Amino acid sequence: MIELQNITYSYKNRIALNDISIKIKKGEAVALIGPNGSGKSTFLKVLNGIVFPQEGKYIFNKEKINEKKLNYDIFSKIFHKKIGFVFQNSDTQLFCSTVYEEVAFGPRQMGLSEHDTDKRVYDCLELLNIEKIKHEAPYNLSGGEKKRVAIACVLSMNPEVITLDEPMNGIDPKGKKFLKELIKKLNTSGKTIICSTHDFEYVEGIFKRAIVFSEDHKIIRDDEYNKVINDEKFLVKNNIK
Ligand SMILES: Nc1ncnc2c1ncn2[C@@H]1O[C@H](COP(=O)(O)OP(=O)(O)O)[C@@H](O)[C@H]1O
Ligand SMILES: [Mg+2]
């Protein structure tokens, strides 16, 4: 479903991804692991068509993804409907005046009727257990609530692939437990999950596979998740733990 071939991306002169090649199949649950600055967030930005690599090829559902194609409104809409991104910082994702409006934004953009939009919004509010705050302003919410709203926004588009950037960051233990169960449930229901994380404690049981990034922005290991996180020597040597 997702294939990167020899992807290299630099911010001005600063390299962030160095010759990355990877395939991810539909329905997988993949953890992105690596020290700070290794390129995990940039990898997710490439997958979501937010930045475009200077070198290499990105193929999504057999279709080559590049800046030119995403400038076409129709192609861009189809693509962004299939893959959703939960940003590390929810504030960059939330901009509407109420939670309801926020979750309704995507379905409306997709051209759904008000009736269908309303149904989707309520399904998502219920799934995230945030019906009670639907009239509140997102900027007044706690970090955990903001994260739930951001996830509801992504789910309201019913994407096939859900990408999340350190979703457990700044969330209280109860919220983390909720998110863990939710992500598992989404994966069980067939969604492909790609998620950067460094908090191994709270993500137990979510992932089957781990892709490990190194300080020099390469993929140094692609293995079973449990094997990787139980390999103390490897994690310490690569500044992950
Ligand atoms: N907007 C940016 N401008 C310049 N450099 C950036 C920017 N974002 C990230 N970088 C650099 O790119 C590299 C990879 O960053 P990032 O993808 O955020 O890593 P991670 O998510 O693994 O911490 C780092 O060296 C980082 O400093
Ligand atoms: Mg990051």
Side-chain angles (χ1 to χ4, degrees):
M1 174 170 225
I2 285 171
E3 182 170 5
L4 301 189
Q5 296 172 1
N6 307 103
I7 292 281
T8 294
Y9 181 80
S10 303
Y11 296 94
K12 298 206 174 99
N13 293 320
R14 204 181 180 122
I15 191 151
L17 295 174
N18 188 356
D19 197 19
I20 299 288
S21 297
I22 199 89
K23 281 183 191 172
I24 297 172
K25 290 198 206 85
K26 189 173 162 56
E28 280 199 80
V30 183
L32 310 176
I33 295 173
N36 271 342
S38 58
K40 304 178 297 294
S41 296
T42 307
F43 180 85
L44 292 173
K45 287 183 198 166
V46 169
L47 293 188
N48 283 282
I50 294 171
V51 300
F52 300 95
Q54 287 87 4
E55 282 172 55
K57 234 194 226 176
Y58 169 26
I59 298 156
F60 183 90
N61 275 345
K62 299 194 177 123
E63 186 105 42
K64 206 178 148 189
I65 304 300
N66 55 38
E67 191 164 11
K68 204 171 142 208
K69 276 194 191 163
L70 286 182
N71 280 332
Y72 287 110
D73 200 39
I74 297 172
F75 184 83
S76 167
K77 270 193 178 153
I78 294 171
F79 174 71
H80 290 295
K81 196 200 151 322
K82 287 188 180 146
I83 180 164
F85 192 14
V86 180
F87 288 72
Q88 180 163 6
N89 177 358
S90 305
D91 288 323
T92 52
Q93 192 152 12
L94 305 173
F95 50 85
C96 293
S97 57
T98 68
V99 169
Y100 183 97
E101 291 299 307
E102 200 73 66
V103 182
F105 185 83
R108 282 177 183 152
Q109 282 293 101
M110 268 160 54
L112 257 66
S113 69
E114 265 318 291
H115 176 267
D116 292 350
T117 296
D118 193 59
K119 165 102 180 57
R120 280 236 184 146
V121 172
Y122 275 95
D123 285 348
C124 294
L125 293 177
E126 198 186 347
L127 187 64
L128 274 299
N129 199 12
I130 50 174
E131 306 99 312
K132 278 199 210 101
I133 55 169
K134 65 175 185 257
H135 295 308
E136 296 203 26
Y139 64 83
N140 284 333
L141 303 174
S142 73
E145 289 168 331
K146 282 181 186 173
K147 187 64 73 184
R148 288 187 196 209
V149 175
I151 294 174
C153 291
V154 166
L155 295 182
S156 71
M157 305 284 279
N158 195 19
E160 293 170 26
V161 183
I162 300 165
T163 61
L164 306 102
D165 200 357
E166 313 254 5
M168 303 297 184
N169 257 18
I171 309 291
D172 64 30
K174 206 173 142 217
K176 283 179 177 170
K177 226 169 142 188
F178 178 88
L179 281 185
K180 178 174 94 171
E181 293 310 322
L182 175 76
I183 297 171
K184 276 199 219 167
K185 196 155 62 172
L186 291 169
N187 184 234
T188 308
S189 77
K191 307 279 188 203
T192 307
I193 305 288
I194 305 168
C195 176
S196 71
T197 179
H198 58 228
D199 198 353
F200 303 135
E201 198 184 332
Y202 287 99
V203 294
E204 201 196 313
I206 299 180
F207 304 110
K208 299 254 159 45
R209 175 180 176 191
I211 296 173
V212 186
F213 291 77
S214 64
E215 276 170 336
D216 60 354
H217 318 288
K218 293 182 187 230
I219 292 177
I220 45 165
R221 189 161 171 183
D222 180 355
D223 203 346
E224 273 174 45
Y225 178 80
N226 285 330
K227 277 192 189 160
V228 174
I229 63 148
N230 289 313
D231 190 343
E232 282 289 326
K233 228 165 114 186
F234 171 80
L235 296 177
V236 171
K237 183 172 163 240
N238 291 290
N239 285 327
I240 296 164
K241 221 170 168 182

